[in-house]
Amino acid sequence: MSVRTPDPNSGWLSDQELEEIRRRLPLLYVEAVPVRVDGLGQVTEVGVLLRVSASGNMTRTIVSGRVMYGETLRDALFRHLEKDLGPMAFPQLPTSPIPFSVAEYFPLPGVSAFTDERQHAVSLAYVIPVTGTCDPRQDALELTWMTPEEASSDAIRAEMEGGRGALLRAALASVGRLG
């Protein structure tokens, strides 16, 4: 049983088709670490989502979602940021869609630092400044703004599934804010 809110405009696959594809092919995802920056462009706060996992546990995570067939990376990032943070978040997408990291998720632990029991997935990860008001939607319960030091703590990493705590730390390292 899934507790996730279905995408009302999935654009390409039914739940059954997606399950079958996940068993056969790696899927492409984008992930975004929402941040607030000061006038010099230095990260001052990091947004971390609180969700209920498929197993019913409360977990922390970052913005994440599939790239649909025919969709640009910029469009996928914008769609998922708006879906998770609300239409008034006003993300500042990069001029060039070069990720800070590429994460490869496997269904079995130990193959890489990242796991996703549902599938083999490749994720392009970005740090995205947001300037507006964030109002979590879909299956996100809340967005917590933390200092970079708080976000990179062992306590927060322990609350994140699938290795996303390591990805969050890599995001902060990529912008010179690893605590």
Side-chain angles (χ1 to χ4, degrees):
M1 179 178 89
S2 174
V3 295
R4 300 183 74 101
T5 304
D7 187 345
N9 187 16
S10 67
W12 62 306
L13 298 171
S14 69
D15 288 345
Q16 184 177 5
E17 290 168 326
L18 178 59
E19 186 177 327
E20 179 66 26
I21 294 297
R22 281 179 165 155
R23 286 194 299 256
R24 296 175 181 266
L25 298 169
L27 294 176
L28 180 62
Y29 281 71
V30 291
E31 294 187 284
V33 176
V35 297
R36 300 268 192 212
V37 297
D38 63 17
L40 296 175
Q42 297 292 316
V43 172
T44 59
E45 293 182 299
V46 180
V48 181
L49 295 165
L50 180 66
R51 290 193 171 145
V52 176
S53 72
S55 61
N57 297 319
M58 298 293 273
T59 63
R60 299 245 179 225
T61 193
I62 56 178
V63 173
S64 179
R66 290 190 318 270
V67 177
M68 295 191 317
Y69 179 81
E71 184 177 41
T72 68
L73 294 175
R74 291 174 61 77
D75 288 344
L77 274 169
F78 189 83
R79 178 171 57 84
H80 289 293
L81 284 159
E82 184 176 78
K83 182 181 77 159
D84 284 351
L85 304 180
M88 302 305 288
F90 301 130
Q92 306 298 300
L93 296 181
T95 304
S96 175
I98 298 174
F100 74 83
S101 184
V102 176
E104 192 170 14
Y105 290 84
F106 286 92
L108 300 172
V111 179
S112 81
F114 307 102
T115 58
D116 184 334
E117 63 188 29
R118 304 167 303 165
Q119 65 192 338
H120 176 192
V122 176
S123 179
L124 306 177
Y126 300 86
V127 175
I128 305 291
V130 295
T131 60
T133 303
C134 296
D135 183 24
R137 303 181 335 160
Q138 296 291 326
D139 58 342
L141 301 174
E142 73 175 32
L143 176 71
T144 305
W145 289 104
M146 304 177 185
T147 66
E149 294 75 23
E150 292 168 330
S152 65
S153 72
D154 289 340
I156 295 300
R157 186 173 58 214
E159 293 180 15
M160 301 182 90
E161 290 184 322
R164 285 194 175 85
L167 193 61
L168 179 57
R169 288 179 57 86
L172 292 169
S174 77
V175 296
R177 294 304 312 253
L178 184 58

